[in-house]
Amino acid sequence: MEEYGAAEAESKENIWCRETVPKVFKIVCCTLPLSNTDLVSLLLASPSVHRTLLSCQPLWEVLNLRELKNAGNRLIAALSLPRYRHVKQINLEFARDVEDTHLMLIKDKCFSSLQSLESLNLNACQKISDTGIEAITSCCPQLKSFSIYWNIRVSDLGLQYIVKNCKHIVDLNISGCKNISDQGVQLIADNYPELESLNLTRCVKLTDEGLMSLLPKCLSLRSLNLYALSSFTDAAYRNLGLLSRLKFLDLCGAQNLSDEGLSCISKCKNLESLNLTWCTGVTDEGVISIAKGCTSLQFLRHM
């Protein structure tokens, strides 16, 4: 009788370890924002946990190497594993050691692993140039979101590769890419009519011509960041009134914006957030026109 009881207890324990524990791990992993390092550590918990976690594909659709050292080699190693064959999101923000050579190796060795990629964050990866952009975007035909702020090595040529290889971009952040010119913005206008979010912060080579070519063609924009761009004038700002879907607009530092330009922006009925900090040419008259026209406004900053 005692032997039977011990066998039954051992059987229950095996079931607990083999079935219940892996299920609990799976629920936790799918609920909490665990890092890739945490997930890899959990794989070592037991063979049952290992099998269960590997069978949960959504766990391996995000590859977050933000701020990690040796991120370029880590990325190549991860993408070589079967579990990352359907990765949808890669974050390399502030992974400062990532270079063009890493992205070229990925193209050569891991091309198929990026065919489902939808989001790529290369923010502050300052060793990447147009060459790296060409390599990585050639692997990502389904890419929807691309961010590479604070990179002075990327130019209009890099944008040319992006629009050639990635036809479905709806979210583009090139903030601080100071070598982007009107020619690059024209590429965006001609290729991304469905663009919803665009960040041009501190793209200091842009002129009225670039903005005027962009706005009439990107009418689906919901978020537009023109922070620290003092060269634009009302001639370009008038076209902002065409963006009927716009919800977020940052014009901080728009020193040439006047009440006349602001009256055109007041046509954006769905605007919810507007930053007019350091817009020194704006008076109460312009702000009043915004208050009357932008009836959905929830946040207004003006100093």
Side-chain angles (χ1 to χ4, degrees):
M1 192 70 178
E2 291 181 0
E3 292 181 0
Y4 175 77
E8 184 179 15
E10 183 178 356
S11 177
K12 288 182 178 179
E13 183 177 353
N14 288 337
I15 292 175
W16 172 264
C17 294
R18 188 177 65 254
E19 298 181 8
T20 305
V21 172
K23 288 179 181 179
V24 171
F25 270 114
K26 183 176 179 179
I27 293 172
V28 170
C29 292
C30 291
T31 305
L32 298 179
L34 298 178
S35 68
N36 292 94
T37 303
D38 293 332
L39 284 173
V40 171
S41 298
L42 287 174
L43 289 176
L44 304 177
S46 75
S48 299
V49 171
H50 187 279
R51 287 192 299 271
T52 301
L53 294 185
L54 286 185
S55 69
C56 185
Q57 185 57 46
L59 290 177
W60 311 104
E61 291 179 354
V62 177
L63 189 49
N64 186 1
L65 301 175
R66 187 180 190 274
E67 296 184 331
L68 292 185
K69 295 180 179 179
N70 200 29
N73 291 328
R74 289 181 185 223
L75 178 63
I76 294 170
L79 292 177
S80 300
L81 298 172
R83 60 177 174 264
Y84 286 113
R85 284 180 181 170
H86 302 287
V87 64
K88 291 186 177 181
Q89 180 180 337
I90 294 177
N91 185 359
L92 292 169
E93 187 172 50
F94 294 107
R96 300 180 186 277
D97 73 303
V98 178
E99 303 178 356
D100 288 343
T101 52
H102 292 120
L103 303 186
M104 294 166 70
L105 277 172
I106 288 172
K107 178 182 178 180
D108 291 339
K109 296 183 177 182
C110 312
F111 184 88
S112 60
S113 297
L114 297 182
Q115 295 299 293
S116 299
L117 192 68
E118 296 180 357
S119 176
L120 177 60
N121 187 335
L122 299 177
N123 289 340
C125 295
Q126 297 179 342
K127 295 181 179 180
I128 294 175
S129 70
D130 294 333
T131 301
I133 296 298
E134 179 184 22
I136 195 67
T137 58
S138 67
C139 309
C140 313
Q142 302 303 319
L143 200 65
K144 296 179 180 179
S145 176
F146 184 79
S147 186
I148 189 166
Y149 77 61
W150 195 18
N151 187 317
I152 60 174
R153 301 184 68 190
V154 174
S155 70
D156 295 336
L157 181 59
L159 277 177
Q160 185 175 327
Y161 294 137
I162 294 171
V163 301
K164 174 185 176 182
N165 296 323
C166 308
K167 305 296 186 182
H168 307 291
I169 297 289
V170 294
D171 185 347
L172 181 62
N173 183 354
I174 50 175
S175 168
C177 296
K178 297 182 179 181
N179 285 315
I180 300 296
S181 72
D182 290 342
Q183 182 181 355
V185 172
Q186 184 69 59
L187 287 169
I188 297 172
D190 291 341
N191 291 275
Y192 295 137
E194 301 302 319
L195 192 66
E196 296 181 2
S197 179
L198 178 61
N199 192 333
L200 297 174
T201 294
R202 291 194 173 94
C203 292
V204 293
K205 287 188 176 182
L206 300 184
T207 70
D208 279 354
E209 183 180 352
L211 193 58
M212 290 170 69
S213 69
L214 175 79
L215 298 178
K217 293 186 177 181
C218 295
L219 299 177
S220 295
L221 278 170
R222 298 174 183 270
S223 176
L224 180 60
N225 199 326
L226 302 177
Y227 182 97
L229 294 173
S230 59
S231 61
F232 295 142
T233 70
D234 283 347
Y237 292 133
R238 289 189 191 101
N239 287 327
L240 288 169
L242 299 173
L243 305 179
S244 61
R245 301 181 184 180
L246 196 65
K247 292 187 175 183
F248 174 91
L249 179 60
D250 194 332
L251 295 175
C252 178
Q255 297 178 7
N256 296 318
L257 175 65
S258 73
D259 291 337
E260 180 185 353
L262 208 53
S263 68
C264 296
I265 296 173
S266 69
K267 297 177 183 177
C268 301
K269 305 296 183 183
N270 290 308
L271 196 62
E272 297 178 356
S273 178
L274 176 61
N275 187 358
L276 296 175
T277 306
W278 301 113
C279 294
T280 55
V282 171
T283 70
D284 288 348
E285 181 181 347
V287 175
I288 289 172
S289 69
I290 289 292
K292 290 181 177 179
C294 301
T295 53
S296 299
L297 200 65
Q298 299 177 20
F299 174 85
L300 173 63
R301 187 170 185 179
H302 178 223
M303 293 177 61

